[in-house]
Amino acid sequence: MTALDIPHLRLRNQQLSSASFKKAGDLVTWFGAVQAQDYSGAKWALGQRMTNATDNTIEEAFTRGEILRTHIMRPTWHFVAPADIRWLLSLTASRIKAASSYQCRKLELDDAVFLRSNKALAKALRDGKHLTRDALRTVVERAGIVCDDLQRFNFILFRAEVAGLICSGPRNGKQFTYALLDERAPAGNTLTREEALAELTLRYFTSHGPATAADFAWWSGLAPTDVRKGLEMVTAHFAKEVIDGKTYWLPTSMPAVKRILRVAYLLPPFDEYLVAYKDRSAVTDPGVNQESISDNFLFQPTIVWDGRIVGTWMRKIEKAAVILTVHSLAPFNETEKKGVGKAVRRYGEFLKLPAMLQ
């Protein structure tokens, strides 16, 4: 393996160049978790890694609870599979709580407040109910907890998620709802901490490799000692390659390296292809400042060609079409233009709308 192979292997292992999953839940299980901060973008992140997926089919899977959305790592929103949510929470919750402890103290939120708010939330959501944020804010206020600060209420919901009490429910129109985790995912798996650590390590390097231990620590939010321990437990499943002084781990079960035909991908904000790695230099041209990647690319839709970032894109959904505007880092040649045009058409097919470049 060489540095030039890393993007192609990641495209394959992340299912971008080798989409084989038909169900959203199976794909999310493959990854372990998929960042879903930008909901519409996260649906597209799943859709272009599946066969024959549309925005509607992903939404239907979300409505049925085949994929759940909650705060699970780092911490930020992620899609997770119902069978995985409990063991993931058991592995990451303590780190998430520690990371939010300062803000909770600042907002005068302590265990006593969370006990009261969780009790009120559990009562309001039981028997299959799913309620919007506004409705739950009223519920918490009626329990005598001050929620005039929106950030304070956000942390109350956030900590209820981390406690394994609530998770996403089906959307009410365009509004998100919450439901009880025990009712939304009654058959979730439970693992010991060591089993959970080994499983998440296995999932990450299988679906995201080649990657480094530092990449996994960033993605999972786990302590470096846990990352080293996780790798020690599953090292038999992976090959180790040292390139430019960096140690990469990748699955041994995958076929030999094969360069992918040049294809363009329209990636959404926070796509796993970028957000899942601390070091993103493998997918940028040499000399690109790594800080600029986070500032300019991580939080907005990006265009990838031959595994590397070549530009950004924006969308505007109109009544009868979706209009896309692209900005290239360097002028596209004719082959690249055709590739981007094909990616635009694929995005339109996902939305079930004609897609046009502006």
Side-chain angles (χ1 to χ4, degrees):
M1 184 180 80
T2 69
L4 294 176
D5 295 318
I6 293 174
H8 295 275
L9 287 166
R10 288 180 180 174
L11 287 172
R12 183 181 68 190
N13 294 338
Q14 285 213 15
Q15 303 295 305
L16 281 164
S17 65
S18 59
S20 59
F21 291 99
K22 297 179 180 180
K23 295 181 179 179
D26 292 340
L27 176 61
V28 171
T29 298
W30 167 259
F31 277 102
V34 175
Q35 186 157 334
Q37 185 171 341
D38 181 275
Y39 180 70
S40 62
K43 288 193 290 181
W44 170 231
L46 298 184
Q48 66 179 318
R49 290 171 164 91
M50 296 168 58
T51 58
N52 302 316
T54 67
D55 186 83
N56 285 338
T57 61
I58 305 293
E59 185 72 37
E60 288 166 0
F62 181 75
T63 298
R64 292 191 297 266
E66 295 172 12
I67 53 175
L68 303 175
R69 184 170 178 261
T70 192
H71 287 87
I72 203 85
M73 297 187 301
R74 283 200 299 278
T76 191
W77 291 104
H78 281 82
F79 283 141
V80 293
D84 297 331
I85 192 168
R86 284 182 177 79
W87 65 260
L88 276 169
L89 281 172
S90 71
L91 182 62
T92 62
S94 61
R95 296 275 293 181
I96 294 174
K97 289 178 182 178
S100 64
S101 60
Y102 169 77
Q103 194 63 32
C104 287
R105 289 194 299 272
K106 186 177 178 181
L107 295 169
E108 298 182 348
L109 293 170
D110 56 21
D111 289 343
V113 174
F114 291 133
L115 184 64
R116 288 166 55 203
S117 60
N118 285 353
K119 184 178 179 180
L121 292 171
K123 183 178 179 180
L125 291 170
R126 67 188 180 192
D127 299 325
K129 296 184 183 70
H130 51 273
L131 300 175
T132 64
R133 295 172 61 85
D134 287 343
L136 289 177
R137 187 172 181 175
T138 300
V139 166
V140 173
E141 287 175 336
R142 286 176 179 171
I145 300 170
V146 177
C147 292
D148 51 357
D149 185 325
L150 181 58
Q151 190 178 24
R152 193 169 197 262
F153 176 63
N154 288 342
F155 266 84
I156 286 172
L157 292 181
F158 163 68
R159 287 295 292 267
E161 290 178 285
V162 176
L165 176 66
I166 63 174
C167 65
S168 59
R171 288 210 290 174
N172 182 355
K174 292 187 177 182
Q175 292 189 70
F176 292 100
T177 72
Y178 289 85
L180 291 180
L181 178 59
D182 282 347
E183 295 183 356
R184 198 74 168 146
N189 295 332
T190 57
L191 303 176
T192 66
R193 178 172 176 78
E194 285 202 346
E195 289 171 337
L197 180 57
E199 184 64 26
L200 189 60
T201 307
L202 185 65
R203 301 262 190 108
Y204 175 78
F205 287 100
T206 300
S207 61
H208 293 83
T212 67
D215 291 329
F216 180 44
W218 153 253
W219 179 80
S220 65
L222 294 172
T225 52
D226 281 333
V227 169
R228 287 194 294 271
K229 185 176 180 181
L231 273 168
E232 288 171 0
M233 288 190 286
V234 300
T235 187
H237 296 275
F238 300 103
K240 181 171 70 172
E241 297 276 355
V242 179
I243 299 175
D244 297 331
K246 302 172 187 175
T247 300
Y248 291 88
W249 299 87
L250 64 159
T252 56
S253 59
M254 290 295 180
V257 175
K258 182 180 179 181
R259 294 289 168 84
I260 310 296
L261 291 175
R262 291 188 168 187
V263 176
Y265 300 95
L266 302 180
L267 301 184
F270 310 106
D271 190 87
E272 291 289 315
Y273 191 69
L274 290 179
V275 78
Y277 307 92
K278 183 176 182 180
D279 179 4
R280 303 175 182 103
S281 59
V283 298
T284 59
D285 287 328
V288 173
N289 184 294
Q290 289 300 294
E291 290 185 3
S292 73
I293 297 176
S294 295
D295 294 341
N296 299 323
F297 302 128
L298 191 58
F299 307 119
Q300 60 181 307
T302 55
I303 305 170
V304 167
W305 171 261
D306 197 27
R308 294 181 179 271
I309 299 170
V310 295
T312 60
W313 61 283
M314 296 184 296
R315 74 169 195 178
K316 181 181 179 182
I317 295 183
E318 298 185 348
K319 188 174 183 180
V322 56
I323 311 299
L324 279 76
T325 305
V326 302
H327 299 281
S328 60
L329 299 182
F332 290 149
N333 59 37
E334 288 304 312
T335 302
E336 291 168 336
K337 287 179 182 178
K338 290 179 181 178
V340 171
K342 187 175 180 180
V344 168
R345 290 191 294 274
R346 186 181 179 196
Y347 185 57
E349 290 168 359
F350 174 76
L351 295 177
K352 293 296 184 183
L353 285 171
M356 295 176 284
L357 275 172
Q358 182 171 291

